[in-house]
Amino acid sequence: MLPIRDHNPSGRTPYVTFALIAINAAVFLSYWLTIPSESQLNSFFYSWGLVPENLMRGQGVSTLVTSMFLHAGWMHILGNMLFLWIYGDNLEDEMGHGGFLLFYLLSGLAAAFAQVAMDPFSPIPMVGASGAIAGVMGGYLLLFPRARVDVLFIFVIFFRIFAIPAWIVLGLWFALQIFSGMSMPADGGGVAYWAHAGGFAGGLALALPAFLRRGGKDYWRRTDGHPPHPEAEYRLSKSSIPRIPRR
C-alpha cells in the first residue's frame, strides 16, 4: 500500500520542495557512495545524527538540523522524497516559498523534540527527513482533507490504484505511528515513530494560520474539504496487448 500521487495541482512552481529533494539526495549520495564500511557509517551517523543523550547534555545542538538531511538507506530516502513530492508542493503553494521552508524546518524540530521527550537518554542516532515530512502531511490534512490521493495496492501478484480521500490516507498513517510507538519499547532502535507523530502534530499546529486565513471551518464548508481549484485527472494508457475474452 503506497501513495503515489494526489489530484491536487499546485498553482506555482514548488522551488523549495524541489530544492529540499535535491539537497537530501545530494547529501545521501555524498556519504553513501564514499564511506566504505558499516562501522564508519555508524560513526558518521553518531556525529551528525541526533543522539538524544548527547542533546540532553547540551551537546550536538546542530544535529537537530543536520539529522533531517541524513538517511539510512535507499528505501528510507526514496520513501521520504516520494511523500515530500506528493504533499509538499501544495503546502508551498499555500504558504509561499519562504514560509514553507520555515514550516518544514519547524516541523522537523517538533519531530526531534517529540522523539527526545519519549526517550531522552537514548544513545541511538536518529536520522531522516521523516519528521519534517510528517509535518507536511499534517498541514496537508488540515487544508485539503478530501483531496484525492492515488494509493497503489499490491496484492501478491497483481496491483491496482485506488483514489482515496486524504483524511483517510493520512489519518490511518498517523494512527499507525501512534499504535506502533506505543507498541515498541521507547529505547528500541528502528523507526522513530514518536518523531513521526510529533512532526505530524506540529505540522497541524503550524498550518493553523494558513487555515484560518482561508476562513477556517467556513473554508471547509465552501470547498467541502476539497482543494479550491479543479482537481487533476489521470488516465492510464491502454495496453497494446490484445485481450482474449473469457467464455
Side-chain angles (χ1 to χ4, degrees), residues 154-241:
I154 301 175
F155 304 95
V156 187
I157 59 172
F158 65 95
F159 66 88
R160 187 170 179 179
I161 297 172
F162 295 92
I164 301 175
W167 70 269
I168 296 178
V169 177
L170 299 178
L172 286 175
W173 182 89
F174 179 66
L176 179 62
Q177 307 313 303
I178 297 293
F179 175 79
S180 300
M182 294 178 67
S183 302
M184 189 183 76
D187 58 352
V191 180
Y193 293 111
W194 292 114
H196 295 173
F200 192 94
L204 270 171
L206 290 166
L208 274 173
F211 177 64
L212 294 175
R213 280 198 306 271
R214 286 268 186 182
K217 291 183 178 180
D218 288 335
Y219 170 62
W220 276 352
R221 280 192 286 266
R222 290 195 308 271
T223 63
D224 196 28
H226 292 278
H229 46 253
E231 294 189 345
E233 297 293 340
Y234 303 104
R235 293 182 180 179
L236 295 177
S237 59
K238 293 184 179 180
S239 172
S240 59
I241 300 176

Side-chain angles (χ1 to χ4, degrees), residues 76-124:
H76 192 196
I77 187 169
L78 290 175
N80 277 347
M81 295 304 102
L82 173 62
F83 276 53
L84 180 56
W85 170 266
I86 294 172
Y87 304 112
D89 61 324
N90 301 112
L91 268 291
E92 186 173 346
D93 196 11
E94 290 293 324
M95 299 176 179
H97 304 306
F100 175 69
L101 178 59
L102 180 62
F103 170 88
Y104 180 90
L105 294 174
L106 289 177
S107 294
L109 292 177
F113 287 129
Q115 186 67 27
V116 172
M118 294 306 297
D119 191 12
F121 299 105
S122 171
I124 302 172

Side-chain angles (χ1 to χ4, degrees), residues 49-88:
L50 173 62
V51 181
E53 68 173 2
N54 291 349
L55 191 66
M56 295 301 293
R57 297 192 187 107
Q59 302 171 355
V61 176
S62 62
T63 62
L64 287 165
V65 176
T66 59
S67 61
M68 296 184 206
F69 296 91
L70 305 179
H71 291 84
W74 284 105
M75 294 304 295
H76 192 196
I77 187 169
L78 290 175
N80 277 347
M81 295 304 102
L82 173 62
F83 276 53
L84 180 56
W85 170 266
I86 294 172
Y87 304 112

